Amino acid sequence: MEIKKIPIEDIAQFISIVSRAYTGMKLVSGDDLEKTTDRFIDIQENDDSASLYGAYQSGKLVGGMQFHDFEMLFHEQKIPVGGIGMVAVDLLHKKEGVAKALLEHFHQHYQDRGTYFTALYPFRPDFYKQMGYGYGTKMNRYRVQPDHLPKGPSKVHIAYLTQGDTERIIDFYNKIAIRTHGLMMRTVKGFSRPMKQPGNYTIGYVKDGEVKGYAGFSFKSNPDDTFLQNDIIVHEMLYEDQEVLSEMLTFFHSQQDQIRSIYFDTQDEHFHHVLTDPSNGTGHLIPHIYHESNTQGVGLMYRILDTEAFLKQVSDHNFNNVTISLNVTVQDSFVPGNARKVHLHAQNGSLTFTDEKKADVEIKLDISDFSSVVMGVVPFEALYTYGKASISNTEYLHTVTDLFSARKKPICLNRF
C-alpha cells in the first residue's frame, strides 16, 4: 500500500469515497460533487495548513484523510498539533487494514516534523481509544427557554456580523486563544466557510469598532409546528468578559416571543448556573429528584506520540509548583517506540529529564489515559480509582494528581 498526497485529478474520487463512507454528512448530492471537489482542490493547492493524503493499492485510491497543521495553547505555551479529519475507506476495501495504515502514516508524518501531539474527532471513540487517543472535554447541549436566560440592562452593542467582519472576529478569537488552554489558533480562511453557509447567522458585541464577543447560531423548525414556532441552536459563543456575555444573553432572552427553545452547545460545564431554571423542559427526573439539565457527548480526542519529546516541548510550563521525582511508564501498542519509561524531575513545577532510574514514585497507564491526564481533562487520582492507572506508592497519589492538574479543562472550537 502506498500513501501519498492526493493529486488534483483524484480529488473527485476521494470526495465520492467520503460521501459513501459518511452518508449522514450529506457532503455531496447531485451537482454538488463538482462544487465540493473544486473547494478541496483549492485547499490542496492554496492552503498550507491542510492537505489531503490517500492510500493506494495497485495504483487505485482506496481511502484517504485530511491533515491539519494547528497551533494550540497548552496552558500558557503555544505548541504544534497535528489534526486529522475525513478518514474514509472505500466500501469495497473495508477490513483490509486501510484505516490502520492511514493513521500510522499520519503519526509518522507529524513525528518527522517534530510535532508530538495530535487530535481528532472520532467516528467511533472505542476505535481511536485502541489507537492511543484519550478523551477530551465533553460537549454539553443545554436546552433553555429564552426567558430563563438573564435579562441584562442593555444589548446596545449587539450587532449582526457578516463575512466582511471575519478578520475582526478572528483578531478577537486569537486574542482569547492565546490565554485559553486547548484553543487552537485560527485563520480568516478557516473561519469564513461557516459564515458563508445558508442559514447561519453571527451576532457580536462591537464597541469602538472592535469585536469583543460573538455567537454563531442557526434556526431549527419543527415540521409539526406552525412556521411561527422555531428553535435556535447556538453552535459557538465566545466572549471577553461579564459585560459582553450579559448583552449576548439579553439578545437571546429577547427572542422569547417567537423562539420556543434555545440550544447552547458548549464545553462550559458550569453554564447551568447562569440560568434562572436549569431544567431542560423535558420533565425528566433522575432519581431521587434531579432535574435533567443537559445532554453530554464525548468528542475531540488527544494523543501524545512521543511522551518524553512532548514533555520536553512543554517544559516551559510550570506544573503547579510541584516538586517530585517521577518515573512514567506508558503502554502504547500502536506506536511501539513510545512504550517506554520516562524519568522526570519536577522542582517547584519546572521539569527536567535525566537517565537516572531512581525516583520517588512510578506511575503506569495507557498512553490514551496519560494524554487526557496531561491535558487536564481527568485527574490522575480518578484513573487510579477506576483501575486505569497504577502508582508504586499511594502516599504520592495527590502529588502526582496536582502535578498534571489544570485550573480549567481544555476547550476546542475548531471543527475538522
Side-chain angles (χ1 to χ4, degrees), residues 72-75 135-140 179-183 266-270 296 300 302 372-379 382 386 404-413:
M72 183 190 80
L73 200 78
F74 180 82
H75 298 286
Y135 306 127
T137 304
K138 283 184 176 182
M139 179 64 76
N140 304 279
R179 61 176 190 253
T180 305
H181 179 47
L183 276 185
T266 174
Q267 291 159 77
D268 181 359
E269 61 187 348
H270 309 298
Q296 290 184 317
L300 189 69
Y302 299 113
S372 297
V373 167
V374 171
M375 282 298 290
V377 177
V378 61
Y386 302 150
F404 297 114
S405 66
R407 186 175 62 86
K408 287 186 177 180
K409 292 180 181 179
I411 67 170
C412 179
L413 301 180

Side-chain angles (χ1 to χ4, degrees), residues 194-262:
M195 297 190 71
K196 293 180 183 177
Q197 290 181 328
N200 282 5
Y201 300 87
T202 304
I203 56 105
Y205 179 105
V206 183
K207 188 174 183 179
D208 299 327
E210 183 181 354
V211 173
K212 297 190 175 183
Y214 68 88
F217 64 94
S218 59
F219 292 94
K220 175 187 175 185
S221 60
N222 188 328
D224 298 328
D225 292 337
T226 71
F227 71 94
L228 295 175
Q229 284 293 321
N230 293 281
D231 296 331
I232 283 177
I233 300 176
V234 181
H235 306 288
E236 181 172 321
M237 185 168 69
L238 201 63
Y239 48 89
E240 186 168 87
D241 54 32
Q242 183 185 90
E243 178 184 335
V244 177
L245 174 62
S246 174
E247 289 210 11
M248 288 201 292
L249 293 181
T250 300
F251 164 81
F252 287 116
H253 177 280
S254 68
Q255 309 308 313
Q256 59 183 288
D257 58 339
Q258 286 185 288
I259 297 301
R260 176 180 47 195
S261 298
I262 301 178

Side-chain angles (χ1 to χ4, degrees), residues 95-308:
K95 302 300 181 182
E96 295 178 8
V98 178
K100 181 175 183 288
L102 289 169
L103 264 291
E104 288 174 337
H105 184 87
F106 165 64
H107 291 158
Q108 194 61 54
H109 172 88
Y110 280 99
Q111 277 191 289
D112 291 344
R113 297 175 54 169
T115 297
Y116 305 111
F117 197 77
T118 56
L120 55 79
Y121 287 97
F123 70 92
R124 264 182 46 200
D126 63 323
F127 177 81
Y128 286 107
K129 189 77 160 61
Q130 292 175 355
M131 292 189 176
Y133 282 83
Y135 306 127
T137 304
K138 283 184 176 182
M139 179 64 76
N140 304 279
R141 170 163 282 192
Y142 292 90
R143 178 186 175 189
V144 180
Q145 292 182 31
D147 61 349
H148 291 164
L149 293 166
K151 181 183 179 182
S154 172
K155 54 183 174 71
V156 68
H157 298 99
I158 300 299
Y160 289 115
L161 299 178
T162 67
Q163 193 175 343
D165 298 302
T166 304
E167 190 168 340
R168 290 196 295 170
I169 297 173
I170 292 302
D171 286 345
F172 164 72
Y173 171 90
N174 286 335
K175 184 173 74 171
I176 299 298
I178 60 174
R179 61 176 190 253
T180 305
H181 179 47
L183 276 185
M184 297 177 183
M185 308 300 290
R186 279 175 167 172
T187 63
V188 170
K189 189 167 187 177
F191 190 79
S192 62
R193 182 170 167 255
M195 297 190 71
K196 293 180 183 177
Q197 290 181 328
N200 282 5
Y201 300 87
T202 304
I203 56 105
Y205 179 105
V206 183
K207 188 174 183 179
D208 299 327
E210 183 181 354
V211 173
K212 297 190 175 183
Y214 68 88
F217 64 94
S218 59
F219 292 94
K220 175 187 175 185
S221 60
N222 188 328
D224 298 328
D225 292 337
T226 71
F227 71 94
L228 295 175
Q229 284 293 321
N230 293 281
D231 296 331
I232 283 177
I233 300 176
V234 181
H235 306 288
E236 181 172 321
M237 185 168 69
L238 201 63
Y239 48 89
E240 186 168 87
D241 54 32
Q242 183 185 90
E243 178 184 335
V244 177
L245 174 62
S246 174
E247 289 210 11
M248 288 201 292
L249 293 181
T250 300
F251 164 81
F252 287 116
H253 177 280
S254 68
Q255 309 308 313
Q256 59 183 288
D257 58 339
Q258 286 185 288
I259 297 301
R260 176 180 47 195
S261 298
I262 301 178
Y263 293 83
F264 288 89
D265 293 343
T266 174
Q267 291 159 77
D268 181 359
E269 61 187 348
H270 309 298
F271 185 73
H272 59 286
H273 288 279
V274 82
L275 308 174
T276 58
D277 183 351
S279 60
N280 63 7
T282 62
H284 295 163
L285 289 178
I286 299 172
H288 171 54
I289 302 179
Y290 288 85
H291 299 263
E292 186 177 278
S293 61
N294 61 283
T295 56
Q296 290 184 317
V298 173
L300 189 69
M301 299 179 77
Y302 299 113
R303 194 195 207 285
I304 296 172
L305 298 177
D306 186 316
T307 303
E308 183 171 354

